[in-house]
Amino acid sequence: MNRQALGYIVFLLFLAAIPLMGIYPIFAMKIMCYALFACAFNLLLGFTGLLSFGHAAFLGSAAYASGHAMKLWGFSPELGILYGVLVAGVLGLAIGALAIRRSGIYFAMITLALSQMVYFFFLQAKFTGGEDGLQGVPRGTLFGLIDLKSDLNLYYVVMGIFVLGYFIIWRTVHSPFGQVLKAIRENEPRAISLGYDVDRFKLLAFVLSAMLAGLAGSTKMLIFVSATLSDATWQMSGLVILMTLIGGLGTLVGPVIGAFIVVLLENKVGDFGAMLTKWTGIEWFQRLGESVTIVIGLIFVICVLAFRRGLVGELSAWWDKRKAASN
């Protein structure tokens, strides 16, 4: 058994043991949802080289679609999640078909503009609840057997969804399709000269990334039994970029680490500020919880300057350098 497989097994055991360690299940589930979202985004940027500034549209659309189907149409959780993923996939096909006609900053701006159109649609549509959001979605019973009203049952379902999504991304990256995506990222003209239909591969990668982001959005809606406008804002699109860059662009584990760091900061920065106030006597730190974006921005700047390949990327580079030196 190689080290990578052993690492994944240890990580799975750790995830399975989280409820037994006294960690708040909702907090752990939130991290897994954002980690899956970041991994889906990384598939597009890290492995295909396409920077999307509108990925929150897929997270939010799947959340609203699943919530609406479960609350008003009486869909079961599995059908609601599937419906949300399909809606995100159709939206990804529409946006991707337009966006891949351009590259670089123009691609990014097209995705941002279309994402904002989706956001304003959600703001005005009646079924979304506007600024109040879609509230009170019933969790229901998975496959008619597992009662999701129990946070413990829901935790292991969310864990299964995260593992499934991560495996799909891992398998995609290590498939011939994934190798073509990497070739497009490294040298698109050469991929074209080899006979690959680059636009088709880009569109497939975009739709797959959108559907996985939708899976994260539907799961997040199930956890918090609501879908809100915050899931579809451009700030959410920026946040997933931040998670990916902090963890390590083009790595499989990096976005998971980045999501953990960002969510931890959002939830625990107030406790950290109280600790700094106690140590330094400076009362401003006590109000640090109100300035979480400043802290996250500062960490982002430090990571970009000191760890340009992200935390996991730099660690991998250091390990490879050490192995080369020992040989």
Side-chain angles (χ1 to χ4, degrees):
M1 182 181 295
N2 58 35
R3 292 181 178 178
Q4 187 182 50
L6 182 61
Y8 282 136
I9 291 174
V10 171
F11 181 63
L12 282 175
L13 292 174
F14 171 74
L15 284 181
I18 279 179
L20 306 177
M21 298 165 59
I23 298 174
Y24 188 41
I26 299 295
F27 175 69
M29 287 188 281
K30 182 179 179 181
I31 291 177
M32 284 190 282
C33 285
Y34 279 118
L36 179 56
F37 184 34
C39 288
F41 175 79
N42 185 49
L43 178 64
L44 190 64
L45 177 59
F47 293 101
T48 315
L50 298 175
L51 175 58
S52 169
F53 268 125
H55 244 53
F58 311 122
L59 184 81
S61 63
Y64 277 118
S66 296
H68 182 77
M70 291 175 63
K71 184 177 181 179
L72 298 181
W73 298 346
F75 276 29
S76 60
E78 64 276 10
L79 290 179
I81 291 174
L82 180 61
Y83 178 67
V85 171
L86 290 176
V87 168
V90 171
L91 184 62
L93 180 62
I95 292 178
L98 293 171
I100 62 169
R101 299 172 184 270
R102 295 292 181 266
S103 60
I105 191 63
Y106 301 104
F107 174 89
M109 290 298 101
I110 290 172
T111 56
L112 175 61
L114 294 175
S115 174
Q116 284 299 98
M117 290 175 62
V118 173
Y119 167 78
F120 284 112
F121 169 74
F122 289 149
L123 181 62
Q124 299 295 331
K126 292 183 178 180
F127 76 93
T128 63
E131 294 183 355
D132 295 328
L134 186 64
Q135 306 290 337
V137 179
R139 285 181 176 175
T141 306
L142 189 70
F143 300 117
L145 299 172
I146 305 173
D147 185 7
L148 299 185
K149 292 179 183 178
S150 167
D151 285 346
L152 185 61
N153 291 344
L154 181 62
Y155 174 83
Y156 286 109
V157 170
V158 172
M159 176 184 162
I161 292 173
F162 169 72
V163 171
L164 175 63
Y166 188 90
F167 174 76
I168 292 173
I169 294 169
W170 179 89
R171 188 68 189 91
T172 300
V173 169
H174 291 90
S175 68
F177 174 73
Q179 297 305 311
V180 175
L181 295 183
K182 292 178 185 177
I184 294 172
R185 178 195 64 188
E186 296 298 330
N187 195 328
E188 185 174 333
R190 186 175 182 181
I192 295 172
S193 69
L194 290 173
Y196 292 110
D197 187 348
V198 169
D199 285 346
R200 184 167 65 90
F201 278 94
K202 284 182 179 179
L203 184 58
L204 286 172
F206 196 95
V207 172
L208 179 58
S209 179
M211 293 180 73
L212 289 167
L215 180 61
S218 296
T219 307
K220 181 174 179 288
M221 181 282 306
L222 195 62
I223 295 168
F224 295 101
V225 296
S226 64
T228 62
L229 285 173
S230 62
D231 295 331
T233 59
W234 66 266
Q235 289 94 333
M236 181 62 72
S237 295
L239 198 64
V240 74
I241 296 173
L242 179 64
M243 293 174 187
T244 306
L245 292 180
I246 288 178
L249 190 64
T251 64
L252 287 168
V253 181
V256 178
I257 304 297
F260 170 76
I261 292 172
V262 171
V263 174
L264 186 67
L265 282 171
E266 285 186 332
N267 287 271
K268 300 299 182 182
V269 71
D271 297 338
F272 180 65
M275 182 177 65
L276 288 178
T277 298
K278 183 178 180 180
W279 287 353
T280 64
I282 301 175
E283 293 186 1
W284 179 82
F285 289 120
Q286 186 71 42
R287 300 190 297 273
L288 203 56
E290 303 169 5
S291 310
V292 62
T293 52
I294 297 176
V295 178
I296 293 176
L298 180 61
I299 291 176
F300 176 59
V301 170
I302 293 172
C303 285
V304 168
L305 294 177
F307 309 104
R308 298 197 175 189
R309 286 171 287 199
L311 297 175
V312 175
E314 290 292 343
L315 185 60
S316 298
W318 171 80
W319 181 255
D320 291 340
K321 186 177 179 180
R322 182 180 176 184
K323 285 177 62 178
S326 62
N327 293 334

